[in-house]
Short mmCIF file of all heavy atoms in Angstrom, two decimals:
data_model
loop_
_atom_site.label_atom_id
_atom_site.label_comp_id
_atom_site.label_asym_id
_atom_site.label_seq_id
_atom_site.Cartn_x
_atom_site.Cartn_y
_atom_site.Cartn_z
N TYR A 226 -14.42 12.58 6.12
CA TYR A 226 -14.57 11.48 7.05
C TYR A 226 -15.28 10.31 6.38
O TYR A 226 -16.29 10.51 5.69
CB TYR A 226 -15.37 11.91 8.29
CG TYR A 226 -14.64 12.91 9.16
CD1 TYR A 226 -14.69 14.27 8.88
CD2 TYR A 226 -13.90 12.48 10.26
CE1 TYR A 226 -14.02 15.19 9.69
CE2 TYR A 226 -13.23 13.38 11.07
CZ TYR A 226 -13.29 14.74 10.77
OH TYR A 226 -12.63 15.63 11.57
N GLY A 227 -14.75 9.11 6.59
CA GLY A 227 -15.38 7.92 6.04
C GLY A 227 -14.46 6.73 6.20
O GLY A 227 -13.28 6.87 6.55
N PRO A 228 -14.97 5.52 5.97
CA PRO A 228 -14.15 4.31 6.12
C PRO A 228 -12.88 4.38 5.27
O PRO A 228 -12.96 4.61 4.07
CB PRO A 228 -15.08 3.19 5.65
CG PRO A 228 -16.46 3.75 5.79
CD PRO A 228 -16.34 5.21 5.53
N TYR A 229 -11.74 4.22 5.92
CA TYR A 229 -10.43 4.12 5.26
C TYR A 229 -10.04 5.39 4.49
O TYR A 229 -9.14 5.36 3.66
CB TYR A 229 -10.38 2.92 4.31
CG TYR A 229 -10.85 1.65 4.95
CD1 TYR A 229 -12.09 1.09 4.63
CD2 TYR A 229 -10.08 1.00 5.91
CE1 TYR A 229 -12.53 -0.08 5.22
CE2 TYR A 229 -10.51 -0.17 6.52
CZ TYR A 229 -11.74 -0.71 6.17
OH TYR A 229 -12.18 -1.86 6.77
N ALA A 230 -10.69 6.52 4.78
CA ALA A 230 -10.39 7.75 4.05
C ALA A 230 -8.92 8.14 4.21
O ALA A 230 -8.26 8.54 3.26
CB ALA A 230 -11.29 8.89 4.53
N GLY A 231 -8.40 8.01 5.44
CA GLY A 231 -7.00 8.36 5.67
C GLY A 231 -6.05 7.21 5.47
O GLY A 231 -4.86 7.41 5.21
N ALA A 232 -6.54 5.98 5.58
CA ALA A 232 -5.68 4.80 5.44
C ALA A 232 -5.25 4.60 3.99
O ALA A 232 -4.07 4.39 3.70
CB ALA A 232 -6.39 3.56 5.96
N TRP A 233 -6.23 4.64 3.06
CA TRP A 233 -5.88 4.48 1.66
C TRP A 233 -6.84 5.19 0.71
O TRP A 233 -6.57 5.34 -0.48
CB TRP A 233 -5.81 2.99 1.26
CG TRP A 233 -7.00 2.16 1.63
CD1 TRP A 233 -7.11 1.31 2.68
CD2 TRP A 233 -8.26 2.08 0.93
NE1 TRP A 233 -8.36 0.71 2.71
CE2 TRP A 233 -9.09 1.17 1.64
CE3 TRP A 233 -8.77 2.68 -0.21
CZ2 TRP A 233 -10.38 0.86 1.24
CZ3 TRP A 233 -10.08 2.38 -0.61
CH2 TRP A 233 -10.86 1.47 0.11
N GLY A 234 -7.97 5.67 1.20
CA GLY A 234 -8.94 6.33 0.32
C GLY A 234 -8.39 7.56 -0.35
O GLY A 234 -8.54 7.76 -1.57
N GLY A 235 -7.73 8.43 0.43
CA GLY A 235 -7.13 9.63 -0.14
C GLY A 235 -6.01 9.30 -1.11
O GLY A 235 -5.83 9.98 -2.14
N CYS A 236 -5.24 8.27 -0.80
CA CYS A 236 -4.16 7.83 -1.70
C CYS A 236 -4.72 7.38 -3.04
O CYS A 236 -4.24 7.77 -4.11
CB CYS A 236 -3.37 6.69 -1.05
SG CYS A 236 -2.40 7.16 0.38
N LEU A 237 -5.75 6.54 -2.97
CA LEU A 237 -6.33 6.01 -4.21
C LEU A 237 -6.96 7.11 -5.04
O LEU A 237 -6.78 7.16 -6.26
CB LEU A 237 -7.37 4.94 -3.87
CG LEU A 237 -8.10 4.31 -5.06
CD1 LEU A 237 -7.11 3.56 -5.95
CD2 LEU A 237 -9.21 3.38 -4.59
N ALA A 238 -7.70 8.01 -4.40
CA ALA A 238 -8.37 9.08 -5.14
C ALA A 238 -7.38 10.01 -5.82
O ALA A 238 -7.55 10.37 -6.99
CB ALA A 238 -9.28 9.87 -4.19
N SER A 239 -6.32 10.39 -5.11
CA SER A 239 -5.34 11.31 -5.70
C SER A 239 -4.54 10.63 -6.81
O SER A 239 -4.26 11.24 -7.85
CB SER A 239 -4.38 11.84 -4.61
OG SER A 239 -3.74 10.78 -3.93
N LEU A 240 -4.20 9.35 -6.63
CA LEU A 240 -3.44 8.65 -7.65
C LEU A 240 -4.28 8.40 -8.90
O LEU A 240 -3.81 8.55 -10.03
CB LEU A 240 -2.92 7.32 -7.10
CG LEU A 240 -1.86 6.61 -7.95
CD1 LEU A 240 -0.54 7.38 -7.92
CD2 LEU A 240 -1.62 5.19 -7.46
N LEU A 241 -5.54 8.01 -8.70
CA LEU A 241 -6.43 7.77 -9.84
C LEU A 241 -6.66 9.06 -10.62
O LEU A 241 -6.65 9.06 -11.85
CB LEU A 241 -7.76 7.20 -9.35
CG LEU A 241 -8.83 6.98 -10.42
CD1 LEU A 241 -8.33 6.07 -11.54
CD2 LEU A 241 -10.11 6.42 -9.80
N GLN A 242 -6.86 10.17 -9.92
CA GLN A 242 -7.06 11.44 -10.61
C GLN A 242 -5.84 11.82 -11.44
O GLN A 242 -5.96 12.25 -12.60
CB GLN A 242 -7.36 12.55 -9.60
CG GLN A 242 -7.62 13.91 -10.21
CD GLN A 242 -8.85 13.93 -11.09
OE1 GLN A 242 -9.82 13.21 -10.82
NE2 GLN A 242 -8.84 14.75 -12.13
N ALA A 243 -4.65 11.63 -10.88
CA ALA A 243 -3.43 11.92 -11.62
C ALA A 243 -3.29 11.02 -12.84
O ALA A 243 -2.91 11.47 -13.93
CB ALA A 243 -2.21 11.76 -10.71
N TYR A 244 -3.62 9.73 -12.67
CA TYR A 244 -3.55 8.79 -13.80
C TYR A 244 -4.49 9.22 -14.92
O TYR A 244 -4.10 9.23 -16.10
CB TYR A 244 -3.92 7.38 -13.32
CG TYR A 244 -4.16 6.41 -14.44
CD1 TYR A 244 -3.10 5.76 -15.07
CD2 TYR A 244 -5.46 6.15 -14.89
CE1 TYR A 244 -3.33 4.87 -16.13
CE2 TYR A 244 -5.69 5.28 -15.94
CZ TYR A 244 -4.63 4.64 -16.55
OH TYR A 244 -4.85 3.78 -17.60
N LEU A 245 -5.72 9.57 -14.58
CA LEU A 245 -6.70 9.95 -15.60
C LEU A 245 -6.24 11.21 -16.36
O LEU A 245 -6.46 11.32 -17.57
CB LEU A 245 -8.06 10.19 -14.96
CG LEU A 245 -8.71 8.96 -14.31
CD1 LEU A 245 -10.04 9.33 -13.66
CD2 LEU A 245 -8.90 7.83 -15.31
N GLU A 246 -5.59 12.13 -15.66
CA GLU A 246 -5.09 13.32 -16.32
C GLU A 246 -3.87 13.01 -17.19
O GLU A 246 -3.72 13.55 -18.29
CB GLU A 246 -4.76 14.39 -15.29
CG GLU A 246 -5.98 14.92 -14.56
CD GLU A 246 -5.64 16.02 -13.57
OE1 GLU A 246 -4.52 16.57 -13.66
OE2 GLU A 246 -6.49 16.33 -12.70
N LEU A 247 -2.99 12.15 -16.69
CA LEU A 247 -1.81 11.77 -17.46
C LEU A 247 -2.18 11.01 -18.73
O LEU A 247 -1.47 11.09 -19.74
CB LEU A 247 -0.87 10.93 -16.61
CG LEU A 247 -0.10 11.68 -15.50
CD1 LEU A 247 0.54 10.70 -14.54
CD2 LEU A 247 0.96 12.61 -16.09
N CYS A 248 -3.29 10.27 -18.68
CA CYS A 248 -3.73 9.51 -19.86
C CYS A 248 -4.09 10.43 -21.03
O CYS A 248 -4.08 9.98 -22.18
CB CYS A 248 -4.94 8.65 -19.50
SG CYS A 248 -4.54 7.15 -18.58
N ARG A 249 -4.41 11.66 -20.73
CA ARG A 249 -4.78 12.60 -21.79
C ARG A 249 -3.56 13.17 -22.48
O ARG A 249 -3.67 13.84 -23.51
CB ARG A 249 -5.62 13.74 -21.20
CG ARG A 249 -6.87 13.25 -20.47
CD ARG A 249 -7.75 14.42 -20.05
NE ARG A 249 -8.85 13.96 -19.20
CZ ARG A 249 -8.94 14.23 -17.90
NH1 ARG A 249 -8.02 14.97 -17.31
NH2 ARG A 249 -9.98 13.79 -17.20
N GLU A 250 -2.39 12.94 -21.91
CA GLU A 250 -1.14 13.44 -22.49
C GLU A 250 -0.43 12.29 -23.21
O GLU A 250 -0.68 11.12 -22.96
CB GLU A 250 -0.23 14.00 -21.40
CG GLU A 250 -0.91 14.98 -20.46
CD GLU A 250 -1.15 16.32 -21.10
OE1 GLU A 250 -0.53 16.59 -22.16
OE2 GLU A 250 -1.96 17.11 -20.55
N GLN A 251 0.49 12.63 -24.07
CA GLN A 251 1.32 11.61 -24.74
C GLN A 251 2.64 11.51 -23.99
O GLN A 251 3.60 12.21 -24.30
CB GLN A 251 1.55 12.00 -26.21
CG GLN A 251 2.21 10.91 -27.04
CD GLN A 251 1.35 9.67 -27.17
OE1 GLN A 251 0.13 9.75 -27.30
NE2 GLN A 251 1.97 8.51 -27.15
#
Side-chain angles (χ1 to χ4, degrees):
Y226 292 85
Y229 310 107
W233 51 259
C236 291
L237 179 63
S239 56
L240 192 70
L241 176 57
Q242 181 63 32
Y244 168 83
L245 296 178
E246 293 182 15
L247 287 167
C248 282
R249 303 187 188 110
E250 310 286 344
Q251 189 64 38

